[in-house]
Amino acid sequence: MRLSDLNPGQQAAVTAPDGVQLVVAGAGTGKTRTLVHRVAWLVDEGVDPRDIVLLTFTRRAAREMLDRASAMVGDQAKAVRGGTFHSFAVSALRRHADALGYSRDFTVLDRADAEALVGLVRGEVGLGGRERRAPQRRTLLKLVSKQINTGRPLADLIDASYPQYLEFAPEIERLAVRYTERKREQNVMDFDDLLVRMVELLRDHPDRREHLARGVRYLLVDEYQDTNRLQAEITGLLSYLHGNLMVVGDEAQSIYGFRGADVRNILDFTELFPHAEVIRLEQNYRSVQPVLDLANGVLQSAAEGYGKVLFSERSSPERPELVTTYDEQEQASYLAQRVQERKAEGLDYRSQAVLFRSGYHSNLLEVELQRAGVAFRKFGGLKFVEASHVRDVFALLRVVANPRDVMAWVRILQWFAGLGAVTAERIAQKILDHPEHSLEPTPYRKRKYGPALAHLAQVLSAAAPLSDRPEALVAHLLEYYAPLLETLYEDHRKRVNDLKTLTELASKYTDLESLLAEVALDPPEQTEIDADPAEEDWLTLSTIHSAKGLEWAVVYVMQLGDGHFPTTHAVEDPDALEEERRLLYVAVTRARDALELVRPTFLRGRFGVQPTECALLDEIPAFHSKIARRDGQLRGASKTKPTEKHPDIAAAEARLAEFMRRFPRKG
DNA sequence: GCCAATCATCGATAG
DNA sequence: GATGATTGGC
């Protein structure tokens, strides 16, 4: 490895002596590069790679960094343990489950299952079927989760986000307690439990703490501004023994407030670790100055001053562009055409990315791209494993792995005619209370669904011995499930292909537990599954959250407009709007050479499709001098298809024309 | 008492 | 489009 490629700040971070360092690194200042070099440098210095732990925000980021480190110092760097806090916790918790009243075959509930379980408890604590409008299970889980991740009292959180539900505070308190109890009974953990139990393990079990911390000689944490208090606690507890900790982050890029992330973790870091060396990386190597001018403008408009100004030595005559289109359809057509134009000019799709606030914002664009034959992959939004029929198969896998998994049972049992939610829960509870019998169909023999249960029991008992061969296990279960699929879904023809994909997915694993944990913690993206592996040049579509830490030569930020980006909620809530601003900052700073902000004039609002402002853009100081304007209307429209007006807009215009005709202006 | 079909309401980001 | 309350049927 060569240190001469690095600037003095980066070198200081890479070669820092033992101890605690805080690396404050603005967007594009080579944060990832620095971490990669740090790992490589440590390995090069003779540190056992297995004693290095690199915690990142996604597993994708961890993999990428370790690959790059390996390229510098050889494959030994692959032995570095890397992943998210959650994935690190799963492996630690499996080994130490006994200390926490769990057994080591616990399963991980994803959000949908967690919500389903909250739904069961919801009825139990009296939050269902009343004339008073009680919060939905989704909202309830959000509240409980936020309480756990922030440590703030539930009543405060309700007051802040859902004041209309304050009258339910006592019931919600009870729900939180029951929910936790039931998860433990069922030997399942939701995402929050992974952190909570990890803290519990490290805090309350000194022997385990020492054992775990002994193996963490160097701890590196990326994206520290997006950690919550539990993660900060884990960071401190894991590194207490050797005292070698490096955290890296940028407070201006904090975009996970909704998940309980606390910027104070990074802002107050030196109070917690007074001996920490603070290293600042300020020079931006990524973007041209005009892009940074706009990024700086976005930060200036923030209520909380970050006092940060990015500068670059890369100049460009082109300012970022504000592209105005008529509506969403024209936006989609424009983008599809624009990426092709750039491709024709010699810029690969690989160097371009379209970013948006919410997963569904790209729906129309995806249709246009498909029509135009542009290969793309989408990151964020609905995942392959979230499809209902795929979840079905995973429910079968989960009861094989953990027969106490009530939510998996409840899902499976409701496949059968005449067996509804109430009976399903009753049977699942019975299995939980007498796990030695598992599914014993005899008591239900006289029921309509008796034979179906007998068949299921038979399939599952044959499945058990296949646990250490996931591929064979999936094949066995599919033999049972495939015929069922046809009766369960009218559109089963579309769904049946996914079953083959499932077998392929399973073939990558050697045991069932890691298959299930990985799929819960790092689900493969739908378009990765669909993509033609031979196609190497594809366009990236991504939510801004999923684009964090990445960069492209050209970036398009689409769907700018109140109610979309920023989202509905944020338009009224100043704190939420601040997070939207940081989100825009993250999006803008992904661009190396060129940036386009695309803004449809007519967007779907509360009263149908209507002209829409964009608070985020309007408040940027001297915005108009920082951007160039472009009309997104397609001139060479014959190349693609003609722009269609949104039906709502067409209808509104027709009504307007009718109105004008009947009430002609005088004079 | 439970199931299955029907109707109103409301939306995000992710491990 | 999903969630959850409601309603009619067994």
Side-chain angles (χ1 to χ4, degrees), chain A residues 508-529:
Chain A
K508 294 183 192 147
Y509 297 87
T510 53
D511 67 290
L512 179 55
E513 277 159 8
S514 50
L515 166 66
L516 291 175
E518 184 126 345
V519 163
L521 295 174
D522 190 22
E525 305 285 341
Q526 175 71 56
T527 57
E528 277 180 301
I529 301 266

Side-chain angles (χ1 to χ4, degrees), chain A residues 391-406:
Chain A
R391 297 186 66 86
D392 285 346
V393 180
F394 274 98
L396 287 168
L397 288 168
R398 278 168 41 194
V399 299
V400 173
N402 171 23
R404 284 149 70 190
D405 192 328
V406 169

